[in-house]
Amino acid sequence: MMDQNQHLNNSTEAQPSRKRKTKCCNGFKLFFAALTLSFICKALNAVIMKSSITQIERRFDITSSVVGLIDGSFEMGNLFVIVFVSYFGSKLHRPKIIGIGCLIMGTGSILTALPHFFMGYYRYSKETLINPSENSTSSLSTCLMDQTLLLNTTSPEIVGQGHEKESVSYAWIYVLMGNMLRGIGETPIGPLGISYLDDFAKEGHSSFYLGSLNAMAMAGPVTGLLLASQFAKMWVDIGYVDLRSIRITPRDSRWVGAWWLGFLVAGLLSIISSIPFFFLPSSLDKPQKERKVSISSHLLKTNEEKSQTTNLTNPRQKLTEHITGLIQSLKSILTNPLYMIVLFLTWLQISSFIGAFTYAFKYVEQQYGQSASETNMLFGMIAIPTISIGMFTGGYITKKFKFTLLGFAKFSFATSLVSFSFHLLNFALVCESKPVAGLTLTYDGNNPVASHINVPLSYCNSDCNCDKNQWEPVCGDNGITYVSPCLAGCNSSSGNKKSIVFYNCSCVEATGFQNGNNSAHLGECPRDDKCKRKFYFYLAVQAVYHFFTALGGASTFMLIFKNVQPELKSLAVGFHALTIRALGGIPAPIYFGALIDRACMKWSINSHGKRGSCRIYNSILYGYTYWGLMDSLKFAALILYVVLIFTMKKKLQGKDTKASENGKKAMNEANLESLNDGHSVPPARADGETHF
C-alpha cells in the first residue's frame, strides 16, 4: 500500500516536471523557428542590397564611390550599437531585443525603397531635351545641318508629369539612412540569438542547431537572387508608364529595373519575422541537462547576488573595476602576437571579399555584357551552391582530422593559396574594350585613340551639329558602337521603339564597310565571340575559387578565438568584429568604387548639369583595377599566414624546450631523493635513458 502511494506521489511530481519539459521544448522550438526566419530575412536583405547596387547607381545618377558609401552605411549602423548589444544584450530580454532588431531591420529596408515614390519618373536620357511628339524615329537626333536636339525619353502622356516631379539630386541619402537603419536592426540577431540557442539547447546539441540554422539561412541568398533577377527584368516605373514607350532593353547601360520591389518584400518579411519574439520568455527552464551545472550555477548566482549587494553600496567602485578589467583584457589580446597577426590577415581577406562582392554584379554586366537579371540568376546558381558545399566540406575535414591550432593555420593557408592561384586566372579573362567611335576609336573608325577625352570630330560628322553629351548608342553594321545616331552621321531612320534602324550613316561608310545602306540599329554592339567564351571560363573559375575560399572559412574563424585565453574568447571575437567592420566593411566599398570610377570613359549628365553615373567603362582598365586591388590584398594576407605559421612553430618549440627542461629537472630531483632515501638509482642505458 505504501509502495502504491509512493508511486502515485512520484507520478504526480513527475507530471509537472514533464509539463515543464514539454513547455520548454515547445518554447525552444518556437524560438529556433523564429530565429531561422530572421536569419533568412537578414541574408535576404543583404543580397537584395548587393544585387541592386548597379540599379541604385543608375537611378540616382551617382558614382560608384557614392554607391560604396551607401553600401558601407550598413556597417556604420552596426558599429553604433554593437557595444551596447554586446554588453547589455545578455542582461535584458533577449527575444524581445531580437524582435525589435527585426522590426528596425524591416523599417530600414522599407525606408530604402521610399525615394521611388516621390522622385518622379525615371528619364533614361537626361542629356537631351524632350520632344512631346509621338514620332519616335524623328525625335532621335540624326545628322541634320539645322536640327534641334530632341529626344522622346518618356511616353507623351507623362512628359508633363515628369517635369513637375523632377528627380531630387540627394534622394540617395534616404537609401543610405535606410541601409544604416538596417545595420542597426540586424546587430542583435546574430550574437543574442546564438547565445540564447546555446543556453537552452540540450547538452551537446548546440552545434547541431547552429549548423542547421546556418544551412537553412542559405535560403535567404537564394531567394534574394531569384527575386532580384525577376525584379531586374521589370521597368523601374512599372504600373505608372506605358512600357511600349520604353526603347531600351535590360542589356542597355541605362536600364533600371524595379529595384525598390526587392526592398519592400524583404522589409515586410523582416517585420513579420519579428512577431514571434515578442511572445517568447526571457529564459526557458533548462531540461535538467543531467543536473551537470545545477550546484555550480547556484553557487555562482549566490556569489553574484552578494557581489551585486556589495557593489550597490559603492557603484563608483564597481564601474572602476569594470573599466580596469576591460583595459587589462584588451591589453592582453592586443599584446598577443598570434591574435594580432590573425586580426590583420582576416582584415585584408574580408576587405578584399567585401569590395569584390559589392561590385561583382556590376563587373559581370560591364565586362561581359550580361543583363542585371541574368547576372543575379548566375550568381544564385553558381556562387551560393559552391560556397555551401565548401563550408560543409571544410567543417567535415576539420572535425574528422581534429586539427591542432597549427593545423588550423596550415589548412587555412593551403586553401587560401589554392583560391588565390585560381583567382589570378581572372586577369586572362578580361575582355578587350568595345570598339566605340569617339572613345576608343576615331569617329571615322579607322584609328585607335590614345585617350577617350576630347576626341575631335571627323569629316564624317563635323557638320552634323551633334551634342557630345548625348548617350543614345547605336551599333553600326561594321561592328562599331557610336555614341549617338548623329555622331554616326546617320541621315534617316525607320521603325519604332526598340526596332529603329538608321540609314546612310557616313561614319559607318568611312570605315570602308560596304553593305549598301551603311546602316546602324539602336543599342550597343554585343560582345564578340572571344569575350563570350571568356565568360564561360570566368564562371568555372569563380565556382572553384568560391569553393576553396569557403573550404578554409571555418579554420580561419577558429584561429580568431583559439589564440587567446578561454576567458577572453568573447572579447576577442567582439573586438575582431568591431575592427573588421570599422576598417573593412566601411572603407572597402568606397575605395573600390573610387578606383572603378577612374576606368569610366563616358559619364551621364544629370538634370542639374553635373556628372552622374557611368555609361561605359574601359574594360581592360576596369578589369585590371578590380582584380589587381583584390589580389594585392589577398597576397598581403598570404604573407601574414606564413608569418603566423612560423610564429606558432617558434612558440611551440619554446614550449617543448621548456617542458623538456622541466622534465629533466624533475627527474634529477627524483634521483636525488632516492639517493637520500638510500635507494639505488637504476643504471642508465647507453642511449641516455634510465632503464627501470
Side-chain angles (χ1 to χ4, degrees):
M1 187 70 180
M2 289 178 65
D3 291 340
Q4 289 179 353
N5 290 336
Q6 189 175 358
H7 177 72
L8 286 171
N9 290 335
N10 290 338
S11 62
T12 306
E13 290 175 1
Q15 285 178 1
S17 176
R18 197 177 296 112
K19 286 181 180 178
R20 285 197 301 269
K21 189 172 181 180
T22 306
K23 185 178 179 182
C24 166
C25 292
N26 291 338
F28 180 81
K29 288 177 181 177
L30 177 60
F31 176 81
F32 181 73
L35 189 65
T36 301
L37 181 58
S38 66
F39 264 64
I40 291 172
C41 291
K42 187 173 74 163
L44 175 65
N45 275 280
V47 168
I48 290 289
M49 171 54 74
K50 294 292 186 184
S51 60
S52 302
I53 286 292
T54 308
Q55 313 285 321
I56 291 171
E57 180 180 339
R58 294 171 184 171
R59 181 64 184 96
F60 295 93
D61 249 343
I62 51 180
T63 62
S64 295
S65 55
V66 175
V67 169
L69 177 64
I70 291 173
D71 187 68
S73 64
F74 171 82
E75 306 293 348
M76 297 177 196
N78 232 290
L79 288 175
F80 284 150
V81 294
I82 194 169
V83 176
F84 174 84
V85 168
S86 300
Y87 187 75
F88 293 104
S90 59
K91 303 177 187 297
L92 301 174
H93 195 299
R94 282 180 288 181
K96 285 186 178 178
I97 297 294
I98 296 170
I100 293 169
C102 291
L103 195 61
I104 294 173
M105 181 172 68
T107 305
S109 290
I110 293 172
L111 178 61
T112 302
L114 189 63
H116 168 76
F117 298 99
F118 65 78
M119 278 186 66
Y121 302 109
Y122 173 58
R123 291 167 49 192
Y124 52 83
S125 289
K126 302 180 181 68
E127 296 89 348
T128 54
L129 302 176
I130 295 177
N131 180 21
S133 69
E134 180 67 34
N135 192 337
S136 296
T137 59
S138 63
S139 66
L140 285 161
S141 57
T142 52
C143 183
L144 299 173
M145 300 290 291
D146 57 348
Q147 75 167 348
T148 301
L149 289 176
L150 297 170
L151 183 61
N152 184 20
T153 57
T154 55
S155 66
E157 294 79 13
I158 63 169
V159 169
Q161 298 176 34
H163 276 297
E164 291 169 8
K165 296 176 67 177
E166 188 61 52
S167 296
V168 182
S169 58
Y170 293 104
W172 58 267
I173 293 176
Y174 286 92
V175 180
L176 184 145
M177 296 298 293
N179 202 37
M180 188 180 293
L181 200 61
R182 186 173 67 85
I184 292 171
E186 191 176 305
T187 306
I189 298 173
L192 298 188
I194 291 171
S195 65
Y196 193 93
L197 202 68
D198 183 59
D199 286 347
F200 301 109
K202 289 182 180 179
E203 191 71 28
H205 288 203
S206 297
S207 57
F208 168 75
Y209 284 115
L210 188 58
S212 302
L213 180 68
N214 288 323
M216 287 187 280
M218 294 305 292
V222 174
T223 306
L225 288 170
L226 290 175
L227 286 176
S229 176
Q230 295 304 312
F231 294 151
K233 294 178 184 177
M234 304 176 187
W235 182 243
V236 60
D237 294 316
I238 187 170
Y240 295 96
V241 299
D242 182 5
L243 299 181
R244 293 173 298 177
S245 67
I246 308 301
R247 286 196 314 273
I248 61 176
T249 65
R251 289 181 181 270
D252 196 289
S253 62
R254 296 164 294 173
W255 177 272
V256 176
W259 62 274
W260 51 276
L261 273 174
F263 289 103
L264 284 182
V265 171
L268 290 172
L269 286 175
S270 298
I271 291 172
I272 291 170
S273 73
S274 71
I275 297 172
F277 291 106
F278 294 103
F279 297 95
L280 287 164
S282 176
S283 63
L284 299 168
D285 293 329
K286 293 187 180 181
Q288 296 299 319
K289 287 200 175 184
E290 289 76 31
R291 292 192 173 274
K292 187 176 179 180
V293 293
S294 59
I295 297 172
S296 60
S297 62
H298 175 72
L299 291 173
L300 182 62
K301 187 175 180 181
T302 305
N303 291 334
E304 284 181 354
E305 287 174 354
K306 288 180 180 178
S307 177
Q308 288 174 3
T309 306
T310 305
N311 287 330
L312 280 172
T313 59
N314 196 353
R316 191 171 296 176
Q317 182 183 352
K318 180 182 176 182
L319 180 62
T320 305
E321 288 175 359
H322 276 303
I323 294 172
T324 305
L326 178 62
I327 292 171
Q328 288 176 347
S329 299
L330 279 173
K331 184 180 178 182
S332 178
I333 64 172
L334 293 177
T335 53
N336 183 334
L338 296 180
Y339 177 80
M340 293 306 294
I341 294 171
V342 173
L343 178 66
F344 279 111
L345 74 85
T346 50
W347 165 59
L348 291 169
Q349 284 183 318
I350 293 173
S351 294
S352 173
F353 173 78
I354 291 173
F357 187 57
T358 301
Y359 298 102
F361 299 91
K362 179 176 182 175
Y363 177 80
V364 173
E365 291 175 42
Q366 291 289 338
Q367 189 72 213
Y368 300 109
Q370 302 295 312
S371 68
S373 175
E374 292 167 335
T375 304
N376 293 330
M377 185 67 72
L378 287 169
F379 270 94
M381 292 171 60
I382 294 173
I384 301 301
T386 52
I387 289 173
S388 302
I389 294 169
M391 289 171 66
F392 175 80
T393 308
Y396 175 77
I397 291 172
T398 53
K399 182 181 178 182
K400 182 176 178 61
F401 293 99
K402 297 179 181 178
F403 290 138
T404 61
L405 189 61
L406 183 60
F408 282 125
K410 287 181 177 179
F411 183 70
S412 188
F413 171 70
T415 54
S416 297
L417 184 62
V418 173
S419 66
F420 177 75
S421 302
F422 277 98
H423 206 261
L424 291 174
L425 296 175
N426 286 302
F427 284 100
L429 302 177
V430 174
C431 292
E432 295 289 330
S433 296
K434 283 184 179 181
V436 182
L439 295 177
T440 62
L441 300 170
T442 54
Y443 281 104
D444 59 15
N446 291 319
N447 300 297
V449 295
S451 172
H452 63 274
I453 301 172
N454 296 325
V455 176
L457 295 173
S458 178
Y459 64 89
C460 62
N461 59 10
S462 57
D463 296 330
C464 293
N465 295 327
C466 302
D467 182 3
K468 284 189 175 183
N469 288 328
Q470 182 183 356
W471 177 258
E472 191 68 49
V474 294
C475 178
D477 290 333
N478 54 4
I480 297 174
T481 298
Y482 296 87
V483 175
S484 68
C486 180
L487 288 171
C490 301
N491 292 316
S492 60
S493 61
S494 65
N496 56 22
K497 307 305 177 190
K498 296 180 177 68
S499 58
I500 300 174
V501 179
F502 300 89
Y503 301 103
N504 302 318
C505 303
S506 54
C507 291
V508 176
E509 183 182 7
T511 61
F513 184 81
Q514 300 293 330
N515 97 331
N517 294 326
N518 297 311
S519 60
H521 60 270
L522 197 63
E524 296 179 44
C525 293
R527 286 288 190 178
D528 57 21
D529 292 337
K530 184 179 179 182
C531 187
K532 289 178 181 177
R533 286 194 297 271
K534 284 184 176 181
F535 175 62
Y536 297 120
F537 283 112
Y538 166 82
L539 294 177
V541 168
Q542 291 307 299
V544 178
Y545 162 72
H546 284 304
F547 173 78
F548 280 102
T549 301
L551 191 67
S555 297
T556 306
F557 184 75
M558 296 297 286
L559 290 171
I560 296 169
F561 61 87
K562 286 285 187 181
N563 282 305
V564 297
Q565 298 94 318
E567 65 272 14
L568 297 177
K569 283 182 182 179
S570 298
L571 181 63
V573 174
F575 184 79
H576 178 270
L578 186 71
T579 305
I580 295 302
R581 289 183 186 282
L583 302 181
I586 297 173
I590 298 173
Y591 61 72
F592 263 83
L595 289 174
I596 288 171
D597 282 339
R598 296 181 63 184
C600 184
M601 294 192 297
K602 178 71 175 177
W603 293 95
S604 69
I605 304 299
N606 62 27
S607 56
H608 300 273
K610 297 180 180 179
R611 191 172 76 175
S613 59
C614 187
R615 296 304 193 198
I616 189 169
Y617 289 88
N618 181 324
S619 296
I620 296 175
L621 182 58
Y622 187 172
Y624 287 172
T625 300
Y626 182 67
W627 299 121
L629 180 56
M630 216 182 309
D631 287 333
S632 299
L633 295 169
K634 289 180 179 294
F635 182 72
L638 286 174
I639 293 173
L640 287 179
Y641 264 119
V642 176
V643 174
L644 176 68
I645 291 169
F646 275 105
T647 307
M648 281 184 172
K649 285 184 176 180
K650 190 175 179 181
K651 192 172 181 180
L652 287 172
Q653 286 172 357
K655 284 183 178 180
D656 291 342
T657 304
K658 189 175 180 181
S660 179
E661 289 175 354
N662 291 337
K664 287 179 180 179
K665 185 178 178 181
M667 183 175 287
N668 291 333
E669 289 176 355
N671 291 340
L672 185 62
E673 287 177 5
S674 62
L675 286 171
N676 292 335
D677 293 340
H679 300 294
S680 60
V681 180
R685 297 191 306 186
D687 58 4
E689 292 184 6
T690 304
H691 182 67
F692 290 91

